[in-house]
Amino acid sequence: FEKELLIDARGHLLGRLASIVAKELLRGQRVVVVRCESINKSGSLFRNKLKFNEFLKKHKCSNHRRGAFHFRTPSRMFWRTVRGMLPHKLARGSAALDKLKVFEGIPYPYDHRKRVVIPDALKVLRMKDHRRFCALGEIAKLAGWKRTEVV
């Protein structure tokens, strides 16, 4: 175990990175993921936009404010993907989720530290060159994320 695993998410595929991070969290490793806006997702931007818009339609029947919260920021989108791979309603799952930190960009304490990449999740190694993909930041911007210029 390292004290904290600092992952630079730029150029990684969403699901593959999330599954590796989830496994590390369940082992008890603390994980910090930076540059979440640069995570790639397979499929064209148009297709992913349609999928996300379908997801936005899901809500509670009785009171929309009480359920199915749709996070717009790329870091929370990634966090939610990891949450889906953990038993987050059990004690060990929620304890694992507490060990995860996600950020857009690279905030102060982590900008001077060495970051690692996960070769099993890199887009260049996992996808063919002619396949379409988009960045999580682009999907988030279409979904209503307003902080693209800040990052």
Side-chain angles (χ1 to χ4, degrees):
F1 285 120
E2 294 149 47
K3 183 175 176 249
E4 211 169 38
L5 186 63
L6 181 59
I7 299 173
D8 186 354
R10 184 177 167 273
H12 289 72
L13 288 169
L14 177 67
R16 287 182 179 274
L17 180 63
S19 65
I20 292 164
V21 166
K23 197 70 180 168
E24 286 297 314
L25 292 170
L26 285 172
R27 286 178 57 223
Q29 176 72 55
R30 291 186 180 277
V31 180
V32 178
V33 183
V34 293
R35 290 215 279 191
C36 284
E37 73 282 356
S38 303
I39 293 176
N40 291 329
K41 193 170 179 189
S42 60
S44 67
L45 179 61
F46 180 74
R47 182 169 181 268
N48 281 308
K49 181 184 78 168
L50 291 180
K51 284 172 80 171
F52 197 81
N53 285 341
E54 284 300 312
F55 167 65
L56 289 178
K57 290 178 185 172
K58 293 182 182 348
H59 55 70
K60 237 178 162 72
C61 280
S62 55
N63 189 347
H64 305 335
R65 285 171 300 184
R66 284 191 184 170
F69 302 109
H70 310 99
F71 301 117
R72 266 40 177 224
T73 65
S75 60
R76 291 304 269 184
M77 286 178 182
F78 178 74
W79 179 88
R80 192 176 196 279
T81 307
V82 174
R83 187 188 72 175
M85 298 179 182
L86 293 172
H88 66 95
K89 293 184 179 183
L90 302 178
R92 80 184 251 267
S94 65
L97 203 55
D98 290 340
K99 289 179 165 54
L100 174 66
K101 289 181 183 174
V102 285
F103 300 100
E104 284 97 21
I106 308 172
Y108 159 68
Y110 306 110
D111 56 353
H112 299 299
R113 290 190 30 213
K114 191 170 177 359
R115 300 177 286 281
V116 297
V117 296
I118 312 291
D120 289 346
L122 280 173
K123 183 196 99 42
V124 256
L125 300 177
R126 282 286 160 189
M127 274 176 71
K128 294 177 180 171
D129 291 336
H130 64 277
R131 298 289 184 204
R132 292 195 176 152
F133 68 94
C134 61
L136 213 55
E138 295 171 339
I139 301 170
K141 189 174 182 180
L142 292 173
W145 181 47
K146 294 177 177 65
R147 303 284 189 272
T148 40
E149 288 76 36
V150 179
V151 176

